[in-house]
Amino acid sequence: MSVNTNSSQFQRKLILFSAAGILFISAVIAIVSIVPFYKQLISEQEKSLVFAATTKTMAIKEYLTRSKDIANQISTRTKVRQRLEEYNEKKISLEEFLPFSTKALTDALTGSEEVSGIIQLDKKGELVIQLGVVIEKEYWPKNYLQSNTIIVEGPVKINGNSYLVISAPIMGKKSTRVGTDIILFEIKNLRRIITDYQGLGETGETVIARSKNNKIYPLLPTRQNILTGNTKIVRGSELSQALHLAITEQKGVIKSSSGSDNNYVIAYGPIKDSEWGIAVKMDKEELYQSIQQKVTTTAIIIICLIVLGILGMIVLLRPLAGKLILQTSELEQKIKDKTAESVEKEARIRSIIETAADGIISIDQDGIIDLFNPAAEKIFAYTTSDILGKNVKCLMPEPYQSEHDTYIKAYLKTGDSKILGTRGREVEGRRKDGTIFPMELTISELFSKGDRKFTGMVRDITERKQAQHELNTNYEELKTVNENLKSAQNQLLQSEKMASVGQLAAGVAHEINNPVGYINANIATLKQYVNDLFKMLDAYSRLESNIDNKELLVEVKSVKEEIELQYLREDIVDLIGESQEGVVRVKQIVQDLKDFSHVDGGEWEWADLQKGLDSTLNVASNELK
C-alpha cells in the first residue's frame, strides 16, 4: 500500500513539474518572440507617420515652387522690363509709363486665381504701381532690395485674410536690377494641403511653423487650434521641440514622454528652399491601436497553443511515468547484478584500452607514465617499453612542455584547473622523431588505491585539420558567391522598379504629346492668321490718305491710339513667339522624358551618350537649376 502511494505521489510530482517546466519555457519563448514583433510593428507605424510628413513636405514644396514660378513670370515680362528701364533712365515720364505697365500687370493679376495684389517698385524701391489688395510696407519682405532672388514671406493677415508675400527682382539685360515686383498670393491651396487629414485618423494633424525671435509661430491654425481657439504653440513642448529641429534643417521622430498630458508621436522635417518646418503628429493610442490588436490576438493564440501543449503532455506522461517507476525498481536490481560483474568488467576495460582507436595515456601526479596503449604507440611512434616510467613531457613540444608542471601543481593545490574536462581540446604533440602534429586531448582524474591518477585520451587530428582547412576555404568561396548572388538579386529588383517607373513616365509623356501637338499646330495657324490680319491692316493704313471724310479719318486715328495698335502688333508677335518657344520646350521635355524612361529591350545597341546626357539634364533641370 505504501509503495503504491509513493509511486502515485512520484507520478503526480513528475507530471506537475514537467507541466510547470513546459509552461515556463513556453512563456519565455512567447515573450522573446512577441517583444521584437511588437517593436517592429511600432517602427512600421512610425514610418507611416514619417511618410505622411514627407508627402506633405513635397506638396508644400511644390506649392512654393509654383508660387515662385508665377512671381518670376510676372517679373520677367520683356515689355514691362523695357519700359521700367526707360522710366528709371528718365527717358519716359511716369504718365507715359503707367498706362502700359498697369495694363500688363492687370492682365497678370486677373490671369491667376491665386494672385490678389501686385506692387511694382522702381530701381530705388519707390512705389510705382499698386493693383488689387493693398500691401502695406510693413508686410513687404525684408531685404527685398538687396536680394537678387525671389523671397517668400508670410503668411500675413490683411483684412482678415491670410496671404503669402513674394518679392521678385526685375533684372535688366545686363543682369542689373531695374525694379521689384511684390505679389500677394492667396494660401487656400496651402490650407488645403494642411487640412487634408487622410490617413491621420481622428487625432492626426499637420503643423507648419516658422521661427521668430526664438519663438515658434504656426503659419496656419491646426485642427486642435480650431477646436480650442488657441493658436499658440506651448514653449518647451514636444511639438515646439520638433518644429525647432525641423526649422534648423533636421528631421526625425519625437515621442512624448510617459506621463505627459500630450501623448503624441511627432514626425518632423524641414521644407527645403524656405524658412519653414513641418510636423505631423498623431495620438499614440490611435497610432498604435492596430498594433495592440495584433499583439493581443497573437498572445491569445500562443496561450491557447501552450495550454493545448500542456494537456497533451499530461496525457502522454501519465503512462510514461508509470513505466518509469517500474523501470526504476528494475534498475536497482540490475545495479546489484552489475556489482557482481565488476571484476569481469575490469578485464573488459583492459581489453577496450588495448583495442581502442584513440591513444590512452595514464600518469601519476608527478607526470610519470604508467599506461600507454597500442593506439598511443602508433600515434607517438614509441613502444610501451620505451615510454613507461618516463615523464609525459617528452611527448609535448614547447610551450606545453614548460607549462605542464605549473598546471599539475596548480590543480593539486587548489583543485581548480582548465586541464580537466569531458570535451577534447586541441593541442600539439611530439613524436619520437621530433615531428610536431595536432591532436585532440581529453584529460580525466581518477583515484586508484589512494593514489591520484590522470588519464589522457589522445586522437591524431592531422587529417581532420587538413579537411577543416579545405572546408573553410570552400566556405569562403561559397560565401563570396552568395554575396555576389545577393547583390545581383538586389540589382534585378531595382531594375524592375525603375522599369515600372519608366513605363509610367513614358505613358504620361505620350498622353501629353497629343494636346501639345495640336496646341503647336494651332499656334502656327494663329501666327499665319495674325500675319494676314497685319497685311489687311497695312492695306487699310495705305488707304487712310485717300479718306476725304476728315471726321472719319480723325476717328480712325483715335481708335489706333486708344488700342495702341503699334504696341499690339509688336506684343502679339512676341506673345506668339514665346508661346511657340514654350510649346517646343514642352515637346522637348516630353521627348526627353520618353527617351530617358524607355523600356530596355534587353539587347545591346549603339547609343549617343551626349544625347542621353542632354535629355537627362533637360528633364532634371528644375531640380538642378
Side-chain angles (χ1 to χ4, degrees), residues 585 588-589 591-593 595-596 609-625:
R585 169 69 176 153
Q588 184 61 44
I589 290 174
Q591 184 59 42
D592 290 343
L593 185 60
D595 293 343
F596 177 76
L609 282 180
Q610 181 174 343
K611 181 179 178 181
L613 289 171
D614 287 341
S615 64
T616 303
L617 290 172
N618 194 26
V619 172
S621 61
N622 187 50
E623 293 294 330
L624 299 176
K625 300 296 183 187

Side-chain angles (χ1 to χ4, degrees), residues 281-293:
K281 69 174 185 174
M282 192 170 179
D283 184 76
K284 279 186 180 179
E285 183 176 351
E286 184 177 15
L287 181 63
Y288 300 148
Q289 183 177 10
S290 61
I291 297 176
Q292 295 171 352
Q293 294 174 351

